[in-house]
Amino acid sequence: MNYREVESVGTYVARLETGADWRTEIEALADAVDADAGWFSALGAVSDAELWFYDQNDLEYYPIEVDEPLEVASCVGNVALLDGERFAHTHAVLSRPDGEALAGHLNRATVFAGEVHFQAFARPLERAHDETTDLDLWL
Ligand code: ZN
């Protein structure tokens, strides 16, 4: 295990822009408050989505494309630096009209409406390639 203490320097709420990309909006919030690291939760609705599932045998992400309106029943993630850029690692549980859920790593989605709670950390978190998992994990 690799751990550290984090110091919160600000807590923000934001409403995401209709028609914008969900993850890009969270990265824009991190830019706006100049945070290289933080933790967020969010909820709302999207008009489409691309989730990714990481296959632990193939060490590959496989996309799940959904072209229909969905509720963002729950979304959680964090912001860290990846190749020097702020990256919002985002996971979401999305639901259909009958309540059926789809979930995974959210690569992109078009915002219908969204509300985010973001806690900014004082010091950056950085990601780097991990040989074992072939993922970009925290240093
Ligand atoms: Zn993920």
Side-chain angles (χ1 to χ4, degrees):
M1 188 193 302
N2 157 350
Y3 73 94
R4 73 212 67 191
E5 183 175 20
V6 293
E7 183 192 344
S8 295
V9 290
T11 304
Y12 304 87
V13 292
R15 180 173 69 81
L16 304 184
E17 199 63 37
T18 303
D21 177 67
W22 185 275
R23 186 165 60 81
T24 304
E25 280 283 271
I26 294 167
E27 289 163 354
L29 171 60
D31 285 342
V33 302
D34 199 26
D36 287 335
W39 205 271
F40 62 86
S41 59
L43 74 167
V46 295
S47 49
D48 57 24
E50 182 184 313
L51 297 169
W52 286 358
F53 179 81
Y54 193 69
D55 187 300
Q56 296 173 25
N57 294 312
D58 296 359
L59 304 182
E60 293 261 10
Y61 278 110
Y62 292 109
I64 303 151
E65 300 262 7
V66 194
D67 192 17
E68 63 188 270
L70 300 155
E71 290 282 321
V72 181
S74 183
C75 174
V76 67
N78 56 68
V79 171
L81 294 174
L82 176 61
D83 300 327
E85 302 277 315
R86 290 175 179 133
F87 170 68
H89 185 201
T90 307
H91 282 205
V93 180
L94 307 175
S95 67
R96 288 186 159 130
D98 64 357
E100 182 188 21
L102 298 164
H105 174 110
L106 187 132
N107 183 48
R108 49 149 236 93
T110 305
V111 174
F112 182 73
E115 298 172 345
V116 179
H117 177 258
F118 179 68
Q119 191 146 33
F121 298 153
R123 284 180 296 283
L125 280 169
E126 285 186 68
R127 292 185 177 279
H129 182 255
D130 174 69
E131 293 284 329
T132 309
T133 61
D134 203 25
L135 290 168
D136 296 316
L137 302 180
W138 290 336
L139 287 175

